[in-house]
Amino acid sequence: MTTVLVGCSGSGAPPDAQRSTAAAQYGSQGIGAASAGRLRDGGTLTLGISAWPTQLNFHQVDGATDGVDQLAQLVEPRLFWRDARGVPHPDTDYLLSAKVTGTAPQTVVYRLNPKARWSDGRPLGAADFAAQWRAIGRGDDRYHVADPTGYDQIASVGEGTGAHEVKVVFRTPYTDWQRLFTPLYPASAISTPAQFNTGWINQVPVTAGPFEVGSLDATTETATVVRDPRWWGARPRLDRIVLRTLLPPAALQAYRNGEIDAVNAGNTEDYAQLKDAEDSEIRTGSAWDEVHVALNGAGGPLADIDVRHAVQRAVDREALADVAAKGLPVGVPLLGNHIFMTNQPGYADHSAPWGTYDLTEACRLLDKAGWKRQGDGGTRTKDGRKLRLRFVVSTATNRLGLDLSQLVQSMLGRAGIEVDIVKVPTNDYTAKYLNHGDFDLAIFRFTDLTYPSDVLSIYQRPSGRQSFLNYGRVGDATVDKLLRQAAGTLDTRRATALYNRADAEIWRLGHDIELYQRPQVMAVREGLANYGIPGLGDIDWTKVGWTKSRARTRTLTGAKSQEAERTR
């Protein structure tokens, strides 16, 4: 552990207002768009995921990870797709239409595509919607739910005028109703607590997507999906997609070796190695992707709001964003909002004063909380206890993440707060540490929360023994009320105003240290089409494929290599 022990003096200036405009143009995307006629039929796409998931139910608390979400996008129903601006549209492979047919109470009628069927042959129907609602939204603690938001506002789910129509009635209005039932799981595999909690461990029992699971190899930590011959929609361009578990350094090397076909290049070191790589191109765009340091307010020193405020004020967010931005082709804007990204309608900066670096104020707040500066530079209570925080990071954390952790450690050291950085196994980070509140500080990202109500499970007070995604368990009645009101109004302007009032309160509570909107930079193989950074939207996996020119290039390259061998 390295702690910098210096005097409590000096303060930082407020964040530069111009940084908030540094993000890429609103809704921009970089996916190498190409029409179906330009793509060849077949081929394999190999991608990396950072951790091997064992719980494959995305709605179960241990399954709410990027890797599980990516697998679910390929093999399970997603009722709506979002365009580059984040606007949802019905996915007609599953949903012919969906509309609010009444407001007192709010009633939504879904018309399902009659061709849509589960891999066991049953058609998608009201029973599946009802089972998912009962598991997630009824408050039954036997179901270990990641996020009940929206589902817990439903009064009933039933069949509409026919077998392919579903009628959902809400007890209270819910603005972001399009985010529900995605991914949709079958009633046959989530109806009981045992099915929901353990039926998806190391297996995907039923699917209904353009791809099906070919293999889940826990030894090599590799998942393979292949075209599902029963798929009723547009034929996917790819034969298969392979997901390999690779820590960030290994993923970069695998890409350079030609073993995977895309890799994130969103930090200085990786971008420098990838920007001029052969058979490669860089794609950039905007996405819902934030980086923050979570503060555990459930116990220990950070249970005191003054200590949380002190930690916020002792961290120089601008310096951290500058480190993240160094050498990149895109801006890295500070985030002043927990709910809206800088390139999203509704964004307003509420970070002042809590997110404004001021070391003198940090030390004053610690003194107010009873933590006195000692002659050796440390901070103690009258009974001699040291102010010492445990910063838990995953072994999958990349170089930038470790650099940021060490900088935070150094910054807090200047305020007399000793910080131990503790590395824990990647596969245990969420399940054993975040979910159980076994940390004081933790640095991680929330991604793809385009629907504002997605954040309710992060910032509302936990219910019962479950924290949902509020790992630090910081919250209060005011935030709960504002978020509920925002999620429960169908007036977009009023909802936005309420969300922003809630955000100001979240800053005031010292929920976390919101840092910046993560730069979206990706290296992909030349000729890979319709994949990359989809703005605030979704990838259409049926359209992802290799261009015909890519096939010709590889054939010519192979022929030249064979000719060279013959002439040696």
Side-chain angles (χ1 to χ4, degrees), residues 418-463:
E418 294 190 19
V419 175
D420 296 311
I421 295 177
V422 180
K423 295 182 180 179
V424 302
T426 302
N427 293 341
D428 293 341
Y429 184 65
T430 298
K432 295 184 179 179
Y433 290 88
L434 296 186
N435 284 346
H436 293 278
D438 189 6
F439 68 94
D440 291 304
L441 307 171
I443 187 169
F444 55 92
R445 300 153 52 206
F446 285 118
T447 64
D448 198 32
L449 304 183
T450 307
Y451 294 108
S453 62
D454 282 332
V455 307
L456 266 65
S457 65
I458 299 171
Y459 302 113
Q460 284 194 313
R461 289 175 297 177
S463 174

Side-chain angles (χ1 to χ4, degrees), residues 147-397:
D147 180 9
T149 304
Y151 293 98
D152 57 2
Q153 293 175 237
I154 293 174
S156 64
V157 177
E159 198 170 279
T161 59
H164 302 295
E165 193 170 279
V166 181
K167 182 179 179 180
V168 176
V169 180
F170 290 80
R171 288 185 292 103
T172 55
Y174 181 54
T175 310
D176 294 331
W177 57 270
Q178 293 100 326
R179 72 179 282 276
L180 302 178
F181 306 108
T182 291
L184 181 67
Y185 288 121
S188 63
I190 63 167
S191 291
T192 68
Q195 288 175 324
F196 188 88
N197 295 324
T198 63
W200 296 74
I201 293 178
N202 296 318
Q203 63 175 334
V204 179
V206 185
T207 62
F211 296 89
E212 62 179 342
V213 174
S215 63
L216 296 171
D217 190 329
T219 302
T220 62
E221 298 191 336
T222 300
T224 301
V225 300
V226 296
R227 280 176 179 159
D228 188 338
R230 298 157 298 201
W231 174 244
W232 55 92
R235 178 180 169 85
R237 308 309 299 178
L238 295 168
D239 289 319
R240 67 185 58 82
I241 298 173
V242 178
L243 304 176
R244 289 181 55 191
T245 305
L246 296 165
L247 296 178
L252 187 145
Q253 191 57 51
Y255 181 81
R256 290 171 63 87
N257 293 343
E259 299 169 20
I260 62 175
D261 298 311
V263 68
N264 286 321
N267 64 68
T268 304
E269 183 178 308
D270 293 351
Y271 178 70
Q273 295 186 57
L274 294 168
K275 64 180 181 179
D276 298 319
E278 294 183 2
D279 189 28
S280 179
E281 64 178 83
I282 297 292
R283 292 177 184 169
T284 64
S286 308
W288 207 108
D289 194 337
E290 60 81 56
V291 179
H292 70 279
V293 177
L295 306 179
N296 190 346
L302 291 174
D304 187 329
I305 190 172
D306 285 328
V307 177
R308 296 200 300 274
H309 283 164
V311 170
Q312 286 179 311
R313 302 304 296 272
V315 171
D316 186 342
R317 300 190 306 134
E318 280 197 89
L320 298 177
D322 287 342
V323 169
K326 186 177 180 182
L328 294 181
V330 294
V332 180
L334 288 179
L335 265 177
N337 200 298
H338 295 81
I339 299 167
F340 301 107
M341 292 294 99
T342 61
N343 59 319
Q344 194 172 6
Y347 178 82
D349 190 335
H350 302 114
S351 60
W354 318 114
T356 304
Y357 172 57
D358 189 328
L359 186 57
T360 300
E361 178 63 8
C363 292
R364 187 193 71 79
L365 287 164
L366 289 176
D367 185 74
K368 176 186 174 186
W371 297 93
K372 306 295 183 181
R373 192 65 176 234
Q374 306 297 311
D376 64 358
T379 303
R380 293 180 173 84
T381 58
K382 291 180 180 179
D383 62 6
R385 288 184 295 117
K386 270 194 173 185
L387 180 52
R388 191 166 187 170
L389 304 175
R390 186 161 163 267
F391 199 151
V392 175
V393 299
S394 162
T395 53
T397 301

